[in-house]
Amino acid sequence: MALSIVHRATGIALYFGTLLLAWWLIAAATGPTAYSNVQAFTSSFIGRLIVFGYTWALLHHLLSGLRHFLWDLGYGFKASDREALTWGALVGGISLTILLWIAAYAIGGGR
């Protein structure tokens, strides 16, 4: 039940995070001054925290969506299966977020 609420919350967070993504794309198309303003925001501590949260919300929502897809196909309804899928979505979202950020910093994206 709690993960279902988190799934809905991440869906709402994705809406607002997509506004940030749109701001970044519009700024990139507008010119260097607008782009540097967005980069200054996303390079700040609060900006990075928001982008990190957006990354987690995206990956968690993806994995929870796959969990629901399995249910739509008729799989994973036993109690042990539901528990495993729930923990898989939770731990998988956190793990994939951390791995993605480590990879981004390793290739120079966090300068």
Side-chain angles (χ1 to χ4, degrees):
M1 180 180 83
L3 202 63
S4 179
I5 294 168
V6 172
H7 181 74
R8 286 174 177 80
T10 57
I12 293 167
L14 289 176
Y15 174 78
F16 292 105
T18 302
L19 292 176
L20 179 64
L21 178 62
W23 179 37
W24 178 72
L25 290 171
I26 292 167
T30 302
T33 304
Y35 186 74
S36 66
N37 290 336
V38 174
Q39 286 300 99
F41 173 72
T42 57
S43 296
S44 69
F45 176 75
I46 191 74
R48 286 185 190 243
L49 191 61
I50 290 170
V51 175
F52 185 84
Y54 179 71
T55 307
W56 172 77
L58 181 65
L59 292 171
H60 177 78
H61 200 79
L62 170 76
L63 294 176
S64 286
L66 290 174
R67 179 174 58 107
H68 281 273
F69 180 66
L70 286 173
W71 289 345
D72 289 343
L73 293 175
Y75 301 107
F77 285 112
K78 290 191 300 185
S80 60
D81 293 344
R82 282 194 319 269
E83 188 79 14
L85 288 171
T86 298
W87 281 106
L90 183 62
V91 173
I94 293 168
S95 301
L96 288 174
T97 300
I98 292 170
L99 288 173
L100 183 64
W101 274 68
I102 289 171
Y105 272 93
I107 62 172
R111 292 181 211 184

